[in-house]
């Protein structure tokens, strides 16, 4: 079956702009979580959605937001971009809301100039 | 707050040598521990989790609550084991909210 799909794979933005990243989970997976990966901070949890509800949120400013649609697809948005937002944004899906294996996408690499 | 520590950024071993990737965690409750691996040009993927207590690709990891450790071990390293390894922790009720360590790059040389 198809894996987790993230679009776009690469994008370049300038400071102050906003960006929307998309994630299509594996068919049948209802939980989608987002992570930010940077060389300095490593992998950091952003938020998790299950059945269109945000279940958990990491320690990121309110500029970072997300949502999940009824088909389990998810988007995350970053407004008023800062240079420090440059990172690889990874989406992961899992079949249920209880702890289990996460299936990761290839990521969306955001560069903020 | 929970924390995962992987003290080594790079571990270089010869083929056939034993491997031990260290992972220590701090959490006062009962965590769930995982090892994720990323091979070159591949996605991050689950290698093993402590609840399943299984051996995957020859790797095992035992949760030691007394030492708050979850070291990953393999008796004989293979070239194909070269990858980035991440230890991760989650706590009850926060299913997909993983706290990752900074990762250890394992390099297996001939």
């Amino acid at each position: 079956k198809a894996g987790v799909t993230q679009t776009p794979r690469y994008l370049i933005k300038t400071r102050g702009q906003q960006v929307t990243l998309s994630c299509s989970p594996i068919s049948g997976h209802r939980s989608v979580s987002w992570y930010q990966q940077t060389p300095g901070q490593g992998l950091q949890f952003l938020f998790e959605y299950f059945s269109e509800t945000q279940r958990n949120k990491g320690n990121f400013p309110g500029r970072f937001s997300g949502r999940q649609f009824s088909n389990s697809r998810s988007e995350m948005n970053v407004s008023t971009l800062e240079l420090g937002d440059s990172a690889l944004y990874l989406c992961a899906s899992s079949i249920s809301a209880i702890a289990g294996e996460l299936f990761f996408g290839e990521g969306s690499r955001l560069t903020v100039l | 707050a929970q924390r995962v520590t992987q003290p080594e950024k790079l571990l270089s071993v010869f083929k056939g040598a034993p491997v031990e990737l260290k992972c220590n965690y701090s959490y006062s409750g009962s965590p769930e521990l995982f090892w994720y691996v990323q091979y070159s040009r591949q996605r991050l993927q689950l290698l093993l989790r402590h609840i399943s207590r299984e051996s995957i690709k020859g790797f095992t990891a035992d949760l030691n609550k007394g030492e708050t450790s979850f070291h990953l071990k393999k008796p004989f390293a293979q070239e194909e084991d070269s990858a980035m390894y991440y230890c991760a922790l989650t706590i009850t009720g926060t299913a997909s909210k993983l706290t990752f360590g900074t990762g250890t790059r394992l390099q297996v040389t001939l």
Side-chain angles (χ1 to χ4, degrees):
Chain A
K1 53 185 174 183
V4 177
T5 305
Q6 292 187 245
T7 57
R9 291 291 315 283
Y10 303 91
L11 65 166
I12 300 174
K13 294 284 187 178
T14 56
R15 279 181 298 174
Q17 286 187 310
Q18 74 163 11
V19 67
T20 299
L21 308 177
S22 180
C23 172
S24 293
I26 291 172
S27 178
H29 286 196
R30 296 168 63 192
S31 172
V32 173
S33 50
W34 289 87
Y35 290 81
Q36 182 196 64
Q37 186 175 28
T38 59
Q41 299 296 319
L43 280 153
Q44 292 188 290
F45 173 80
L46 279 157
F47 26 65
E48 180 210 354
Y49 287 87
F50 181 80
S51 293
E52 302 178 65
T53 301
Q54 186 180 89
R55 281 167 35 91
N56 288 292
K57 192 176 191 305
N59 297 324
F60 279 83
R63 300 184 297 108
F64 291 80
S65 63
R67 60 178 176 169
Q68 186 180 33
F69 302 96
S70 57
N71 61 358
S72 294
R73 191 177 68 85
S74 177
E75 288 181 348
M76 68 162 281
N77 183 276
V78 188
S79 62
T80 321
L81 284 166
E82 300 177 0
L83 295 179
D85 297 332
S86 294
L88 181 67
Y89 290 89
L90 291 172
C91 170
S93 74
S94 65
I95 199 162
S96 74
I98 59 175
E101 180 175 0
L102 294 189
F103 293 83
F104 284 86
E106 294 178 291
S108 292
R109 184 166 294 283
L110 170 65
T111 301
V112 182
L113 301 176
Chain B
Q2 55 271 27
R3 181 190 290 267
V4 176
T5 303
Q6 293 180 253
E8 302 139 327
K9 282 192 173 180
L10 172 67
L11 182 64
S12 188
V13 301
F14 288 110
K15 180 181 174 181
V19 174
E20 183 178 47
L21 297 167
K22 291 185 172 17
C23 172
N24 287 89
Y25 67 90
S26 63
Y27 177 60
S28 55
S30 293
E32 282 212 51
L33 276 297
F34 304 82
W35 277 99
Y36 277 80
V37 61
Q38 187 165 29
Y39 300 102
S40 179
R41 299 190 194 88
Q42 293 188 29
R43 305 169 186 222
L44 193 59
Q45 58 188 282
L46 178 67
L47 179 63
L48 55 80
R49 50 191 300 191
H50 89 271
I51 340 185
S52 57
R53 302 184 65 81
E54 52 189 351
S55 171
I56 305 292
K57 297 184 179 183
F59 284 98
T60 57
D62 290 317
L63 178 59
N64 185 323
K65 291 188 178 181
E67 296 183 358
T68 59
S69 68
F70 188 57
H71 304 327
L72 184 67
K73 299 177 184 180
K74 183 170 183 177
F76 308 103
Q78 302 298 317
E79 279 184 86
E80 56 266 28
D81 296 329
S82 295
M84 194 73 180
Y85 291 79
Y86 294 94
C87 182
L89 171 158
T90 188
I91 61 178
T92 306
T94 60
S96 298
K97 183 180 178 181
L98 289 173
T99 298
F100 282 91
T102 49
T104 298
R105 179 166 297 285
L106 175 64
Q107 193 172 66
V108 181
T109 55
L110 297 175

